[in-house]
Amino acid sequence: MAGRSRNTPDQQPSEAEGLLPADYDLADLYGAQSGDEDPDDTAVLIPPITLPPDAELAAAALAVPLISRVVALARWIAPHREVDEHGDLGEADRVRAARMLGAEDPDEDDVVEAMRAWALACDLDLVETGTTDEGTHVAIPGPDLEAVEAGEPAAVLGLWFEAAELVRELAAEAESVDPEVVEGGPDDDGEALAEVEDAREQAAEILDEALHVLYETTAFAEPGAETVPLGVLAALLVVPDGQEPDEEMLGEITDLMVVLDPMLGDLAELGLVEHRPIDPDLFEEGETGAPAEAAEVVDTDRPLTEEDAARFGTVRLTPLGQYAVREWLLADGYDAPLVGDLADQDGPAFLRALAENGQLFAEPELKAWLAARDPRDAARELLAGARGRDAQSPVRRYYCVLGLGELGEDAAPLVREAVDDPELGGLAREWLRARGADVAAADREVALWRVIDSMAAVMLLTAGEGGRLQALVADLPVTDNPASYFGEVWRVPHPMTAEVLEAVGELHLDRKVAKEARRAAVRARSLRGQTG
């Protein structure tokens, strides 16, 4: 699966023009969006997801109408059925097949749909064709049919995923085909055919990028909020992070929406996505043959409703879609973890993993890790993993506190054992006292160490961005004599004392306090240099 980019196709469909008026407010229409860095320039972190059990995914795959028709056709031909030399059913059997699939009085469309399912069944080897010793061409059920019918997860998901790969490829191919070139036949010049192939590759790349974005969006979405307006999906591929879309970008977003819409519709047929296509009324042609302006269809003098916005198309990646996209990401060398992948790690290894990239998945991963062990054992392991004074240790202690909070009173006996620990004592006493335990407050030196440690964790987790660090700085218990307070703080033997003091010097709103913090930071760095 290709990495994400913000490139739109060179092929810009004429029907896209005017779908979004230039003066339309993208925020009103689609809501907020953000971009991502190109994976060629930075390491790509794929957020972990939670997938249903394989048996549940297999049941969902068998419930997809196209798959159920494929399986039904494979069973219908048992023990065998005659076909022509190309492996196709005869005219009479085509009608019988359509009737077997539910059409009482099959018309041409019913037969076409039945033959689409037949072609897929053959492509998936659920129907196999061959020639008997007598020279008769026959079709028989493939060897995996019984396992698929029995709902064996490996067999069903293997079949469905192979179908998903075919549909994904065909969706891009259908989007890129130029009928004039195809109808011209083999005598067309190579340049025209090369253009079609380039367009196919570009469509495939756009689809892959869109699926990658949907995968990440779904991973971060609250339950029930996984549906994405098609314009948001396109904007995430077009608009650089932190920028507002200009008029040119709006046009690119519209073009991309029109390219993605039919491809997502093809994927919806196999259950990868739930897709509401762009309302065709938005493309009504006027006398000149140009598409109608969206403003002619949607009243732009009133706030845009959810129903209005949905007319521009929506899409949601299903659990089956997540399963497929994850497989494609893994095949392309991405690390696409599942929530719970760290459940077998011991406390120190688990906290190290969270400290490295836990902001992507800390809460669900913590819950999965805790659920896999006895509460007292979990508390013991978390506390063991929180020790240390290396660069990551403040973040490990931060996640330790989150985990202990999930455990609640079950963790209290183990936390009590750490009240005199040189690195965990402040944390332990703070945690116990917050729950009403009769524990003395930490002495001055330990309390100051805890203040530095907590601020260091937030600095490392947020890179100093957002309001959390600002709030901690504002809440520092600085007295009317900041020189005295920081005269104690700069001596705290914490590996990030100087960095924390520098942050206070930059962020504190009281100029006198900020000045003393900066002076203390210089002294802390000097002390660090002396103690090496």
Side-chain angles (χ1 to χ4, degrees):
M1 174 167 285
R4 294 166 57 179
S5 75
R6 303 187 183 93
N7 298 323
T8 51
D10 294 330
Q11 237 183 343
Q12 296 187 350
S14 60
E15 64 264 37
E17 297 176 6
L19 181 58
L20 296 182
D23 60 350
Y24 226 70
D25 188 341
L26 188 69
D28 287 343
L29 185 57
Y30 301 125
Q33 87 285 324
S34 62
D36 285 275
E37 298 299 325
D38 192 312
D40 293 334
D41 298 327
T42 61
V44 177
L45 295 177
I46 307 297
I49 61 170
T50 301
L51 284 177
D54 283 356
E56 189 175 326
L57 286 171
L62 287 175
V64 173
L66 182 56
I67 294 297
S68 66
R69 291 197 293 269
V70 164
V71 174
L73 282 171
R75 174 51 59 196
W76 174 69
I77 64 171
H80 66 270
R81 192 166 293 265
E82 289 192 20
V83 294
D84 62 22
E85 66 273 18
H86 304 295
D88 293 328
L89 292 170
E91 292 296 332
D93 273 344
R94 293 185 182 195
V95 175
R96 294 188 187 103
R99 185 174 294 113
M100 183 276 300
L101 292 176
E104 293 184 7
D105 186 17
D107 58 19
E108 184 178 350
D109 290 339
D110 296 325
V111 172
V112 168
E113 284 302 305
M115 289 307 94
R116 286 182 66 241
W118 176 263
L120 183 57
C122 293
D123 287 338
L124 299 176
D125 294 327
L126 210 59
V127 168
E128 294 186 344
T129 58
T131 306
T132 66
D133 293 339
E134 293 76 25
T136 303
H137 304 295
V138 296
I140 62 172
D144 294 333
L145 177 60
E146 289 189 7
V148 169
E149 287 184 312
E152 294 182 12
V156 174
L157 290 177
L159 177 83
W160 181 87
F161 183 69
E162 188 176 350
E165 293 202 293
L166 287 171
V167 170
R168 170 191 175 206
E169 181 179 342
L170 291 173
E173 185 174 310
E175 173 59 30
S176 63
V177 166
D178 185 336
E180 294 183 2
V181 173
V182 174
E183 292 172 4
D187 294 332
D188 273 305
D189 63 82
E191 182 177 347
L193 293 174
E195 289 179 1
V196 172
E197 179 60 22
D198 288 344
R200 187 202 66 77
E201 292 179 0
Q202 191 174 47
E205 182 179 353
I206 289 169
L207 181 58
D208 283 355
E209 291 165 358
L211 290 173
H212 187 159
V213 171
L214 278 176
Y215 185 89
E216 293 187 1
T217 302
T218 304
F220 287 121
E222 294 293 329
E226 300 91 348
T227 298
V228 179
L230 199 53
V232 168
L233 178 58
L236 286 167
L237 294 168
V238 171
V239 183
D241 189 19
Q243 291 190 23
E244 291 294 325
D246 56 24
E247 184 174 341
E248 181 179 354
M249 289 179 188
L250 283 174
E252 292 175 355
I253 291 168
T254 300
D255 292 334
L256 198 53
M257 289 168 61
V258 174
V259 169
L260 285 170
D261 193 53
M263 292 195 287
L264 293 172
D266 290 340
L267 298 187
E269 190 174 19
L270 204 65
L272 277 94
V273 299
E274 292 178 1
H275 170 240
R276 175 169 174 170
I278 298 173
D279 189 335
D281 286 347
L282 297 175
F283 297 114
E284 286 183 349
E285 292 186 348
E287 294 180 1
T288 62
E293 292 279 340
E296 297 175 9
V297 183
V298 178
D299 181 5
T300 56
D301 291 331
R302 60 174 173 79
L304 199 68
T305 66
E306 289 186 10
E307 183 62 22
D308 289 333
R311 297 184 67 191
F312 292 87
T314 61
V315 61
R316 183 182 80 88
L317 196 64
T318 66
L320 275 173
Q322 287 182 292
Y323 171 82
V325 175
R326 179 172 181 268
E327 291 297 315
W328 290 325
L329 288 168
L330 290 171
D332 282 347
Y334 289 92
D335 181 14
L338 292 174
V339 171
D341 278 354
L342 302 177
D344 60 346
Q345 302 280 335
D346 63 17
F350 174 65
L351 290 180
R352 283 196 301 271
L354 289 188
E356 290 171 1
N357 55 9
Q359 61 269 32
L360 288 175
F361 59 94
E363 184 177 351
E365 198 64 64
L366 265 170
K367 290 180 178 179
W369 188 87
L370 294 170
R373 46 194 38 81
D374 176 80
R376 290 174 65 91
D377 291 339
R380 184 179 294 106
E381 290 189 43
L382 288 173
L383 290 165
R387 290 186 173 90
R389 299 200 177 192
D390 55 278
Q392 285 187 339
S393 62
V395 180
R396 292 202 304 277
R397 284 184 282 275
Y398 174 87
Y399 287 124
C400 173
V401 172
L402 289 186
L404 294 174
E406 290 286 336
L407 292 171
E409 291 305 314
D410 288 332
L414 281 303
V415 178
R416 280 185 177 275
E417 296 177 5
V419 293
D420 293 323
D421 185 282
E423 293 151 4
L424 304 181
L427 174 159
R429 292 176 186 273
E430 178 184 291
W431 191 90
L432 289 166
R433 286 171 63 85
R435 286 159 178 77
D438 184 16
V439 177
D443 61 33
R444 182 70 171 173
E445 183 178 349
V446 173
L448 288 175
W449 196 93
R450 177 63 182 149
V451 168
I452 295 295
D453 198 56
S454 299
M455 295 184 68
V458 173
M459 286 176 62
L460 292 169
L461 284 165
T462 65
E465 297 178 358
R468 293 175 62 190
L469 185 59
Q470 178 75 60
L472 287 177
V473 169
D475 288 342
L476 280 175
V478 182
T479 63
D480 292 337
N481 188 354
S484 174
Y485 178 78
F486 290 115
E488 292 182 275
V489 173
W490 72 262
R491 294 181 173 88
V492 172
H494 189 283
M496 289 191 64
T497 297
E499 288 77 6
V500 168
L501 286 169
E502 287 170 352
V504 175
E506 292 177 5
L507 298 175
H508 207 288
L509 299 180
D510 187 313
R511 294 177 61 184
K512 184 177 180 181
V513 172
K515 181 179 179 180
E516 291 298 335
R518 290 193 294 271
R519 286 180 175 177
V522 173
R523 292 172 181 170
R525 286 199 178 278
S526 176
L527 179 63
R528 181 189 298 173
Q530 294 171 19
T531 58

